Amino acid sequence: MGYYLSLISFGPSGWGGAFLDGALITISLAVATLPFGLALGLGIALMQRSEKKWVRRIATIYTTIFRGVPELLTLYIIYFGLSLGAQRLAKSLGFSGQFDMPPFLAGMIALGLVLSSFSSEVWVGALSAIPKGQREAAAALGLHRGQAFRLVVFPQLMRVALPGLGNNWMVLLKETSLVSVITLPDIMFYATRANVVTKEPFLMFGVACLIYLVFSMASAIGFGFLEARANRGYISHGTAR
């Protein structure tokens, strides 16, 4: 038992510090990706509800692509494809040198695109749940469309969308493990390295599993609190007290 504890300790021969660093990278990537993916998803949802057919078609094509293509393939395309594209563009403009896409940025973009495609469905459902009379009442008060959305629609939208967005966050948290393949030192990156060095796969991947479980349980508690706070003042059929 002492041997196994020494392997995951924070001492010079333990991997505890590496796992801590990986956990910080994982949670940082997820937190950085969340607002980008949700904001883009909301924009796609608004496009899906547009009165213009061609705008709705673009949104449908977008969601079909990023919901249908494996997340790992999207990550590879962003990481390698954008690097190659930037190099060729620079060369055509007369610049020399090599451009390497930062792994953190590549992971954020790729996971954000995937998150936006799935969260857009949550946003569409939430937008459909907001009564049309809310917008009409806002217009009657003299609010323009932007003000009506920000002051009247969006607060109600968040209350309805929170459960679905919480699920999206859980999925995003797990999908961050994919970035280890592009050398971003996250939890899985260090777990894999530790396994290669120590030849203790059950221990090292078990530690990674526990870290993800802690993140998931903390997230469930956090979103539960947010949902309870967002629903204060509402009864079961959704009307205000």
Side-chain angles (χ1 to χ4, degrees), residues 35-70:
F36 164 59
L38 294 187
L40 183 57
L42 179 57
I44 297 299
L46 294 174
M47 291 175 64
Q48 289 177 316
R49 290 172 56 87
S50 172
E51 297 177 353
K52 298 179 180 179
K53 185 177 180 179
W54 67 271
V55 174
R56 296 197 305 271
R57 185 167 296 176
I58 290 175
T60 300
I61 293 173
Y62 177 92
T63 55
T64 300
I65 290 174
F66 288 107
R67 285 166 64 93
V69 174

Side-chain angles (χ1 to χ4, degrees), residues 81-106:
L82 289 186
S83 296
L84 182 60
Q87 290 177 20
R88 290 182 175 177
L89 177 61
K91 186 176 181 180
S92 67
L93 296 175
F95 296 98
S96 58
Q98 183 174 351
F99 173 79
D100 294 319
M101 170 69 73
F104 189 96
L105 180 60

Side-chain angles (χ1 to χ4, degrees), residues 46 56 106 127 129 136 166 169 171 232:
L46 294 174
R56 296 197 305 271
L127 285 167
E136 293 173 349
W169 163 257
V171 173
R232 70 191 190 282

Side-chain angles (χ1 to χ4, degrees), residues 23-165:
L24 291 175
I25 291 293
T26 293
I27 199 66
S28 297
L29 177 61
V31 169
T33 303
L34 186 67
F36 164 59
L38 294 187
L40 183 57
L42 179 57
I44 297 299
L46 294 174
M47 291 175 64
Q48 289 177 316
R49 290 172 56 87
S50 172
E51 297 177 353
K52 298 179 180 179
K53 185 177 180 179
W54 67 271
V55 174
R56 296 197 305 271
R57 185 167 296 176
I58 290 175
T60 300
I61 293 173
Y62 177 92
T63 55
T64 300
I65 290 174
F66 288 107
R67 285 166 64 93
V69 174
E71 290 85 348
L72 183 59
L73 182 56
T74 301
L75 181 62
Y76 278 145
I77 291 174
I78 296 298
Y79 183 63
F80 295 108
L82 289 186
S83 296
L84 182 60
Q87 290 177 20
R88 290 182 175 177
L89 177 61
K91 186 176 181 180
S92 67
L93 296 175
F95 296 98
S96 58
Q98 183 174 351
F99 173 79
D100 294 319
M101 170 69 73
F104 189 96
L105 180 60
M108 179 179 152
I109 294 174
L111 296 180
L113 292 174
V114 175
L115 174 62
S116 68
S117 66
F118 283 94
S119 66
S120 66
E121 300 301 319
V122 177
W123 289 122
V124 167
L127 285 167
S128 299
I130 307 299
K132 186 178 180 181
Q134 297 287 322
R135 300 178 180 85
E136 293 173 349
L141 291 173
L143 300 178
H144 59 68
R145 293 184 64 180
Q147 290 177 318
F149 183 82
R150 179 170 58 88
L151 299 175
V152 178
V153 176
F154 189 72
Q156 300 179 71
L157 188 66
M158 285 302 300
R159 181 182 66 83
V160 178
L162 263 177
L165 297 181

